[in-house]
Amino acid sequence: MFSELEKNLRQHITLTTDEFDRVKRYFVPKKLRRKQFMLEASDVCTRMAFVSKGALFSYSTSEKGSINVVQFAFESWWMADLYSFFTEEPSKLYIEALEDSELLLLKADRLQPLLADVPAMETYLRILYQNAYVALQRRLEETIGLTAEQRYLRFMERDGRLLLRVPQHMIASYLGVTPETLSRIRKQVS
Amino acid sequence: MKTKSTIAIIGSTGNMGSAIAKSLAKGSNRLLLFGREDTKLQTLKNDIHTLNSGADVEAIGCPKDASWEADIVILAVPYAAEAAVAEEIRPYVTQKIVISIANPMNETFDGMVTPADSSAAQELQKLLPDAQVVKAFNTTYAANFAEPVIAGVPADAYVAGDDEKAVQTVTELVQSMGLNPVVAGGLAVSHTLEHMQLLLIQLTVKNNYNWHAGWKILHN
Ligand SMILES: NC(=O)c1ccc[n+]([C@@H]2O[C@H](COP(=O)([O-])OP(=O)(O)OC[C@H]3O[C@@H](n4cnc5c(N)ncnc54)[C@H](OP(=O)(O)O)[C@@H]3O)[C@@H](O)[C@H]2O)c1
């Protein structure tokens, strides 16, 4: 249940066995089935999720009912609406299971006790937030500065292997194009 | 809250488990039912769907899987069975709410089997140190869930626990079931709550309350 998290933590920080045993006591083990929600829009996002197994995706919905995919998270990735998590404002996002998933959730009110108990986790979380910021900035720049085709190529280069698990219309939504446009781009670049 | 809560009921085929399941199924929760007998579980599922055709309920094969998928776990097994169930679910209830409904009475109903300075809820917390154990429903007879109003007033349903957020969540759940939640204090208050029910049971037998009785604090 904890092997992925342990591997991930140890990539960034040094923890004794005793410290990791303490870390485990702050995480909620939670199974989510495909199409179930970790978060629904208008609720405050009070939990960060580490994906041990499976995949999640976050999205907003338009008035017309279409979805705008914001982010995917596969094994060993984190997922949350950090904006809502930190501001405690209602989220505009849905976080849904793309596949049957096993998550480890960290609740907002457990964060400070965890950091007080195992200070090394401060470093880990700082790295986590840095990465989240970089990813957000990159996404913003790619959306503003690149053509759909360039965005697609970057995306495939980075996460191509994982995207085999994602339906085409969600990839299209993530890239901000229609499924038809995506299909045309795929033909062009192949 | 809009995001659905998933509630596992361990021992859902019993008097309390089935009464709580039927009551909760009227809301928008997702229910995971564990019981040892398939036929009883099927009957319960059918009853629930008769009450609410859109109810999100599922029978789950073992307490471990039910607890892993749940946000809240209700232990509705006899007190004597709690230690074994707790052992099985312990890794899967870390930082989750576990509701203790037990009244740990002896066989002659004249005392408790728990140590004099403890309670079923506190003993459960010792077995599940990383869970948020909350006492609830122990002063509510199984029959009261279908008829929470007794002699014209909604019966009180006392809630006790050490984690403030967990107590609030359970209080909202109790309210959604048509009972009148009263936050009684920290988990140690369970000792009193369990003894209140011991007394009520003794009086129910003596005065023939027909197992439809409850506590109510009168105040202005
Ligand atoms: N009855 C009331 O009005 C009332 C009121 C307040 C609190 N309580 C408390 O609620 C709890 C349950 O009482 P109840 O009256 O509902 O009892 P019950 O009708 O005998 O139900 C007990 C349930 O637990 C299951 N069970 C028994 N041993 C088990 C084990 N070792 N492992 C897994 N499941 C097991 C039973 O399954 P099977 O059907 O397969 O045997 C049944 O589903 C007790 O702690 C009691 O003090 C009861």
Side-chain angles (χ1 to χ4, degrees):
Chain A
M1 196 157 56
F2 284 97
S3 58
E4 296 294 327
L5 179 67
E6 182 168 16
K7 236 189 291 166
N8 194 267
L9 292 179
R10 292 194 190 285
Q11 275 169 15
H12 301 291
I13 55 172
T14 313
L15 285 176
T16 63
T17 311
D18 175 62
E19 280 173 325
F20 184 65
D21 283 343
R22 297 214 302 277
V23 166
K24 287 197 279 193
R25 302 180 63 175
Y26 292 89
F27 281 88
V28 183
K30 167 83 179 161
K31 271 196 193 188
L32 212 58
R33 299 195 204 175
R34 194 170 88 87
K35 295 196 174 214
Q36 287 179 349
F37 291 96
M38 175 187 136
L39 175 73
E40 290 199 50
S42 85
D43 278 354
V44 175
C45 179
T46 56
R47 310 177 293 186
M48 292 199 264
F50 177 84
V51 182
S52 303
K53 205 172 142 191
L56 303 174
F57 69 114
S58 62
Y59 59 93
S60 60
T61 51
S62 72
E63 271 168 24
K64 282 183 244 147
S66 64
I67 70 165
N68 302 307
V69 175
V70 175
Q71 195 197 329
F72 298 101
F74 300 91
E75 284 85 2
S76 290
W77 297 20
W78 284 85
M79 171 69 96
D81 175 356
L82 284 180
Y83 180 88
S84 170
F85 188 86
F86 289 124
T87 60
E88 296 182 24
E89 285 174 27
S91 178
K92 295 185 175 65
L93 300 182
Y94 293 82
I95 301 177
E96 186 180 320
L98 185 65
E99 303 169 358
D100 288 353
S101 299
E102 290 174 21
L103 312 175
L104 291 167
L105 305 175
L106 184 58
K107 293 188 199 173
D109 64 348
R110 300 284 85 199
L111 193 55
Q112 287 314 320
L114 167 64
L115 298 180
D117 191 1
V118 187
M121 288 298 288
E122 287 266 16
T123 307
Y124 177 78
L125 283 173
R126 176 174 54 73
I127 295 167
L128 194 72
Y129 300 151
Q130 277 172 359
N131 291 346
Y133 184 84
V134 169
L136 185 70
Q137 183 90 354
R138 186 175 58 209
R139 180 134 168 69
L140 191 67
E141 280 167 12
E142 288 179 1
T143 307
I144 298 168
L146 298 186
T147 65
E149 186 176 324
Q150 288 168 324
R151 287 205 294 278
Y152 175 72
L153 288 172
R154 288 273 183 94
F155 191 31
M156 289 309 280
E157 201 178 287
R158 225 167 26 235
D159 302 317
R161 173 178 66 81
L162 296 170
L163 291 178
L164 298 171
R165 290 157 63 179
V166 182
Q168 292 304 311
H169 73 273
M170 286 188 197
I171 299 179
S173 167
Y174 177 85
L175 293 170
V177 298
T178 62
E180 294 73 35
T181 308
L182 176 63
S183 144
R184 189 165 40 77
I185 293 173
R186 285 164 62 94
K187 277 197 204 108
Q188 274 165 8
V189 300
S190 64
Chain B
M1 207 175 77
K2 213 172 133 207
T3 313
K4 253 188 198 180
S5 284
T6 301
I7 303 174
I9 304 176
I10 315 293
S12 59
T13 49
N15 287 315
M16 283 295 273
S18 58
I20 292 173
K22 284 178 200 162
S23 180
L24 284 174
K26 289 183 230 147
S28 63
N29 310 291
R30 173 170 160 73
L31 298 184
L32 303 178
L33 308 178
F34 170 75
R36 296 185 297 187
E37 275 187 51
D38 270 351
T39 42
K40 280 200 213 165
L41 268 179
Q42 275 314 320
T43 312
L44 176 61
K45 266 182 73 176
N46 293 342
D47 289 352
I48 286 175
H49 279 127
T50 312
L51 287 168
N52 175 5
S53 57
D56 186 353
V57 270
E58 196 169 322
I60 296 275
C62 72
K64 171 197 135 177
D65 287 337
S67 304
W68 197 350
E69 218 180 304
D71 300 301
I72 298 173
V73 178
I74 301 178
L75 271 198
V77 299
Y79 179 67
E82 282 194 3
V85 175
E87 180 62 26
E88 195 178 342
I89 67 173
R90 192 178 55 229
Y92 307 96
V93 295
T94 303
Q95 304 296 343
K96 291 185 188 179
I97 294 172
V98 176
I99 299 183
S100 160
I101 68 168
N103 293 307
M105 280 158 317
N106 63 22
E107 281 172 12
T108 45
F109 292 99
D110 57 2
M112 297 296 200
V113 298
T114 35
D117 59 347
S118 188
S119 63
Q122 289 161 289
E123 294 301 307
L124 185 63
Q125 182 72 78
K126 284 184 209 158
L127 296 168
L128 302 172
D130 297 324
Q132 298 163 344
V133 174
V134 175
K135 190 85 209 173
F137 304 124
N138 79 294
T139 59
T140 308
Y141 280 140
N144 295 8
F145 289 94
E147 293 173 66
V149 175
I150 304 171
V153 286
D156 286 347
Y158 303 97
V159 180
D162 292 334
D163 186 279
E164 214 176 295
K165 279 222 172 88
V167 168
Q168 192 191 332
T169 302
V170 174
T171 303
E172 285 163 13
L173 199 66
V174 168
Q175 180 121 42
S176 76
M177 295 160 83
L179 297 157
N180 181 50
V182 176
V183 176
L187 198 63
V189 175
S190 305
H191 178 84
T192 306
L193 297 179
E194 292 169 16
H195 280 80
M196 280 165 66
Q197 197 63 2
L198 174 65
L199 176 62
L200 187 63
I201 289 174
Q202 290 166 345
L203 295 177
T204 298
V205 173
K206 187 171 156 224
N207 299 332
N208 226 337
Y209 295 150
N210 206 18
W211 301 103
H212 196 212
W215 290 97
K216 182 83 200 166
I217 295 177
L218 298 175
H219 61 91
N220 46 24

